[in-house]
Structures are given as structure tokens and as C-alpha cells.
Amino acid sequence: MFFQLFLCFVSSLSTIVREFLSEMAHWISVLKIYMENTLQTKEIFSKKENLPCIALLVTTVEETPQIISAKIQGHFPKWLNGCLLRIGPGKFEFGKDKYNHWFDGMALLQQFIMEKGTVTYRSKFLQRTYNANGIHNRIVISESGTLALPDPCRNVFERFLSKFELPAMTENTSDNYVRYKGDYYVSSETNFMNKVDIETLEKTDRTFYFPGSFYNVIRVPPEKVNLGDTIHGAQVICSISSAERMKPSYYHSFGMRKSYIIFIKPLKMNLWKIVTSKIRGKSLSDGISWEPKYYTRFYMVDKHTGQLLPGMYYSKPFVTFHQINAFEDQGCVVIDLCCQDNGRSLEVYQLQNLRKAGEGLDQVYNSAARSFPRRFVLPLPVNLNAPEGENLSPLSGKVWCSYENLHSKDLEEQGGIEFPQINYGQLSGKKYSFFYGCGFWPLVRDSLVKIDVVNKTLMVMKISFLFEALKRPVLLFEIVSIMFQVALRFFNIQAAQPLTFTRFENHGFT
């Protein structure tokens, strides 16, 4: 009896061992394919020297609340009518306190009105956070890269206890203009959006949304039903949970086409570090980290049902801030992105780095990550029975995605490309041939680039005196008008035809 049990045990054990070895062999073959795709050619960049100093772009400017007329040199087309809105950081110190990061500067709203050959200009700082700091003549509200220090008038014990007080939330939304239901808001990487009157540049309301270790995609109806409608009627169409509750991913934007939402998780946010930042004497950005041990994951969501698709799409680690376009083609979702292989680009934009000159600035630029356009193809539906050797992994519905470069070597000379734009009204979610973006040769955008994604060629428009001209608003407008007129030819638009734009939103420099 014992001998029979022993033989049965040995037989079962041998079966388990055979299955285990077979499974290991299967995993090794898949892992080999997996690693071959991971080791794609790494971008190698030539080093730059004698870069122009860009310190003028990160110096404090004064607001111009009263409308002034711009002095126009040359001819300004009378058919060009509209309002150019810009927002960006414009003040970097209060008293003896100084901000550490470019993105921490106080939001300056700028307005150019073009009408019948004339141009007027005005600018105002976004209130509340700006006012709170100004009243005390020091930084009293922390920003992402700058921690507000305790009140120096307090004694040692009070300053210590202040570390455990809840920090005031910044409302310094300095990144971008967005339009919802006909209303204009300014937004940033915070939990607030501020509604502004684009005629007076005054803040009229604010919208708050709750953070957490999950991601909500929200649908806002495009138009108002009546004048009393607000953004508060928005609807959450899907929620994506974080793989690690205390380490959700930072994201800047997501891709979308007619049927699907494509959500990508790159950088990590350590919630424990963020919550304890004030106690530890660190800024909030200390909790954002680049962890290349995690592969980048693509999430596919059915836009109509809000349900996650079962397939899991992975790629080698990269960071993306802006999507170019997404469309369906032959049973696949194609998504084009501006990608970086190094997630430490936010650290580069410390003010002490941007204000360097000579070899110091060259060193900063040569160590910075470059952003280049890449194409990923996500198969739909995932064929879990595909034969080995294809780019579909049969393991638990996982798909390993490699990319196709959408650029030639010439783009390296422009420092890569960011802030991509297409004709969204006609080509969003559809096959397209071209996109436009900004070159980043001296760490900031200095050129306009047009890329042919089919032939992988590019055209570049650059104005050499851009940095000196950005020092004053009047010269800034001269640059804007020159670039716009050159862009008409660049984009093959006939300048003789009537062209009127009512609003043009963009975020940018002061």
C-alpha cells in the first residue's frame, strides 16, 4: 500500500516537474522576444556648445492692467482680427523669498486684441495666491517646486508646530487656457481651475476637484443649454484605479479617438512623501519620481461604456506629456506621442539651471532629455492565441508594444519637439499626414517645426532674435505677428484670403 502511494506521488511529482519545465521554456522564449523589443536603438545626441543665454525668459515682469496701444512697424493686415490670449509664469520672487522652479512663478494673463490694423495689449496677474504673497511680502503658499517657509516673526516652538499645520492650497493656475461650455478657464497641475473673464482678465470663479489614487475621465457638454450652465454639470465617464494606492502615476494628458480613450501611466507620485513634505522640509515635487523599473502601461477604455478593455499593453519605460493624434486602422488603435526616454526633465527647469550661461547652460542642455515623436500600434481585439514570435504575448493578455520613430535625424538639431498640433477640427481621430510643434534647441521653444509623419521629413521656421525680443511686450507682439505671417506661408495658406479668428488660446512665456 505504501509502495503504491509512493509510486503515485513520484508520478504526480514528475508530471508537475514536466509541466513546470515546459512552462519555463515557454516563458524563456517569450522573455527573449520581450527583451529584444526592449533593447531598441537608443537615441544618441550630439553635444551643443555656446548656447544663447535664456535668463531673460525667467525674470519678473510688471503687469500692465490698463490697455495700451502697440506701436506697429511695417504693415499689419487689416483682415486679421481677433484676440490672442497667453498665460505663463511672470513673477519669481516676493521680498527676499524666491521660487525654485520655473513653473512656480505667479500666473500672468496677457491679452492682445487685433482689430482693423491696430493692436492693443494688457496683462494682469491672477489674484489670490499672488495677493496672499504680496500682502506678506514673502512666499506664504507653497508651489510644486518651492516650499513656503514658516513666518519668521514666530518663535522657534511656533515655527516647529507650523510644520504640522495643513498647507494652504495654491490657486496659481499658470499653464493653459481651456474652454468649457463657452467659458474660459486657466488650469495647471493643481486641483483647481480658475474661471476668467477674457475681456477684463479678472478671475470670476474657481472649480475644485478631489484628488486620489485613481483617475477620472470627465465629459463636459460642449455648449450651454442656458446662460446659467456651469462646468459642474460634467459627468465622469470612466475611472481607472492605480496599481499601487500610495504610488499613483502622474499624467499630463491622454489620447482620445471616436470610440476609445488611451491613458498612459509614466511617472510615479509617492503620496507618503507628498503628504509629509512640509514636515520633512521638502517641496511637493520631491514626491514625483522617475522609476524606470516600471514598464509604461497603456490603458484602453471604451468611451461609450466607460469599461476598460481586457488587454494589457506595455512598452519600455518612457515619459510623455503630449499626444499628437490617435486613430483606428485595420483593427488597431494607432497613437502618436511625443516621448522622452528619461523622466527627469522636470528637474532641468529649476530656475538656477535656466539662468546659467556659457558652459553651465551647455551642460544643463546636454544632460536634458529630448522629446521625439513616436508611433505605437495597439491591436484590437487582442488575439491571445497568436503564435510565438509575433509582437503579441500569450501570457495573461499582455501585449508588448515597440514603437516606430516618426522623425529623421534632422530633428535632433532642433532639440526634439513638443506641444504638437494638428488640424483637430478635421483630423482628430483620423489618419493624418502632418503635425506642427515647437523645437527646443536652447531648452525653450525657439522654432516652429512641421513634420511629415508619412515621409518623415521636416520643415523648420526659426527667428534668431527671439530671445532679445521677448523682453518687452511690444517686441513680443512684433515677433508674434512676424511668426504668424511667416506661418501663413509655412502652412501653405494664402494671405490674400479673408481670415478672422475670434479666440486663440495658448500657454507660453512672459
Side-chain angles (χ1 to χ4, degrees):
M1 184 70 176
F2 174 78
F3 185 69
Q4 289 179 339
L5 289 174
F6 178 75
L7 289 178
C8 184
F9 171 75
V10 171
S11 176
S12 298
L13 182 62
S14 63
T15 301
I16 293 173
V17 170
R18 282 198 307 270
E19 290 179 353
F20 174 76
L21 292 176
S22 175
E23 187 68 19
M24 285 297 296
H26 181 71
W27 273 74
I28 290 171
S29 63
V30 172
L31 185 61
K32 181 180 178 182
I33 299 169
Y34 196 74
M35 293 304 295
E36 285 175 354
N37 283 320
T38 304
L39 299 173
Q40 289 182 304
T41 303
K42 195 170 184 179
E43 303 277 5
I44 300 175
F45 312 114
S46 58
K47 294 186 179 298
K48 301 293 184 181
E49 296 180 347
N50 302 318
L51 294 173
C53 181
I54 57 176
L56 287 174
L57 294 175
V58 288
T59 55
T60 293
V61 296
E62 298 295 328
E63 64 179 2
T64 309
Q66 302 300 322
I67 296 176
I68 61 172
S69 296
K71 182 179 179 181
I72 298 175
Q73 297 179 359
H75 174 69
F76 188 80
K78 292 185 178 180
W79 49 262
L80 180 59
N81 296 284
C83 179
L84 171 64
L85 301 174
R86 296 178 65 82
I87 189 168
K91 186 173 178 63
F92 300 96
E93 60 278 319
F94 286 92
K96 295 181 179 179
D97 291 355
K98 298 180 179 179
Y99 288 112
N100 299 324
H101 201 279
W102 186 21
F103 302 162
D104 294 341
M106 295 291 96
L108 180 67
L109 297 92
Q110 299 185 83
Q111 173 200 78
F112 297 90
I113 296 179
M114 291 147 279
E115 187 176 10
K116 298 179 180 179
T118 64
V119 183
T120 60
Y121 170 83
R122 74 158 63 175
S123 64
K124 290 183 180 180
F125 282 108
L126 188 65
Q127 304 302 305
R128 195 179 182 281
T129 301
Y130 172 81
N131 288 344
N133 293 331
I135 290 172
H136 296 87
N137 197 32
R138 63 183 182 87
I139 298 173
V140 297
I141 299 179
S142 297
E143 298 294 336
S144 174
T146 305
L147 178 68
L149 299 177
D151 187 345
C153 295
R154 292 183 176 185
N155 59 43
V156 175
F157 182 68
E158 289 174 330
R159 288 201 297 271
F160 174 75
L161 290 180
S162 69
K163 290 179 176 290
F164 302 92
E165 297 174 354
L166 288 176
M169 292 295 294
T170 180
E171 294 183 24
N172 183 43
T173 49
S174 62
D175 277 7
N176 201 17
Y177 274 95
V178 291
R179 186 182 181 187
Y180 294 117
K181 300 177 80 170
D183 295 323
Y184 287 81
Y185 297 80
V186 285
S187 64
S188 186
E189 311 288 6
T190 67
N191 300 325
F192 292 96
M193 288 196 305
N194 289 301
K195 183 179 176 181
V196 295
D197 183 330
I198 61 170
E199 303 296 335
T200 64
L201 300 184
E202 294 289 345
K203 170 185 164 185
T204 60
D205 195 7
R206 68 171 180 166
T207 297
F208 175 78
Y209 49 94
F210 292 95
S213 55
F214 56 90
Y215 316 93
N216 289 329
V217 178
I218 301 171
R219 176 191 291 124
V220 180
E223 299 297 336
K224 292 184 177 183
V225 177
N226 57 64
L227 294 177
D229 280 358
T230 66
I231 194 176
H232 298 288
Q235 175 189 7
V236 176
I237 61 173
C238 74
S239 293
I240 302 174
S241 61
S242 173
E244 297 178 89
R245 290 187 61 84
M246 292 304 293
K247 266 192 172 184
S249 294
Y250 163 91
Y251 76 97
H252 190 76
S253 60
F254 58 87
M256 186 168 62
R257 59 146 285 97
K258 186 177 181 179
S259 302
Y260 301 102
I261 292 169
I262 305 100
F263 190 87
I264 304 168
K265 290 186 176 181
L267 298 175
K268 289 287 185 178
M269 295 189 298
N270 188 317
L271 296 186
W272 177 251
K273 282 188 174 183
I274 291 175
V275 170
T276 61
S277 60
K278 187 175 181 181
I279 300 173
R280 297 183 299 110
K282 300 289 186 178
S283 65
L284 295 175
S285 60
D286 181 63
I288 300 177
S289 60
W290 163 240
E291 300 184 18
K293 63 182 179 181
Y294 294 98
Y295 291 114
T296 298
R297 181 176 175 182
F298 297 79
Y299 290 78
M300 295 284 292
V301 178
D302 187 310
K303 196 164 67 173
H304 304 294
T305 65
Q307 297 297 313
L308 273 173
L309 271 63
M312 292 182 286
Y313 305 88
Y314 290 92
S315 178
K316 74 169 196 174
F318 70 89
V319 169
T320 181
F321 293 99
H322 302 106
Q323 279 77 47
I324 303 169
N325 198 10
F327 56 90
E328 290 180 49
D329 187 21
Q330 301 181 37
C332 298
V333 170
V334 180
I335 181 167
D336 297 343
L337 312 164
C338 289
C339 303
Q340 301 176 13
D341 290 325
N342 186 329
R344 301 187 182 278
S345 57
L346 294 178
E347 301 172 8
V348 172
Y349 290 93
Q350 297 282 340
L351 287 172
Q352 62 177 2
N353 290 332
L354 299 181
R355 289 171 176 165
K356 289 181 179 179
E359 293 183 2
L361 183 61
D362 296 344
Q363 184 177 1
V364 171
Y365 177 82
N366 291 323
S367 65
R370 312 287 203 279
S371 181
F372 291 97
R374 294 173 181 170
R375 171 166 293 177
F376 292 86
V377 179
L378 313 181
L380 291 174
V382 177
N383 182 6
L384 302 184
N385 298 316
E388 293 181 23
E390 294 187 9
N391 289 330
L392 301 178
S393 170
L395 302 179
S396 305
K398 295 180 180 178
V399 179
W400 179 255
C401 302
S402 57
Y403 61 82
E404 174 191 0
N405 284 321
L406 296 179
H407 65 92
S408 63
K409 291 289 184 181
D410 295 339
L411 187 58
E412 295 177 11
E413 292 299 315
Q414 308 307 318
I417 191 169
E418 263 295 356
F419 304 110
Q421 293 289 325
I422 62 171
N423 186 339
Y424 284 100
Q426 296 184 16
L427 295 173
S428 179
K430 300 177 183 178
K431 266 190 172 182
Y432 70 108
S433 299
F434 305 96
F435 80 92
Y436 310 92
C438 296
F440 274 69
W441 179 56
L443 284 176
V444 295
R445 41 190 167 171
D446 74 323
S447 58
L448 191 60
V449 181
K450 177 181 179 180
I451 291 186
D452 182 333
V453 299
V454 178
N455 300 312
K456 300 181 181 179
T457 57
L458 61 85
M459 294 175 59
V460 180
M461 181 181 71
K462 183 177 292 189
I463 297 179
S464 59
F465 56 96
L466 177 64
F467 303 109
E468 289 296 327
L470 282 173
K471 192 173 183 180
R472 293 189 291 123
V474 173
L475 287 179
L476 167 61
F477 179 74
E478 290 174 3
I479 290 297
V480 171
S481 62
I482 291 170
M483 291 190 72
F484 185 83
Q485 293 185 67
V486 176
L488 292 180
R489 296 191 294 272
F490 190 65
F491 298 153
N492 299 319
I493 299 175
Q494 296 298 319
Q497 68 186 33
L499 176 63
T500 301
F501 62 95
T502 54
R503 299 286 179 253
F504 180 84
E505 307 108 56
N506 191 9
H507 61 284
F509 312 128
T510 57

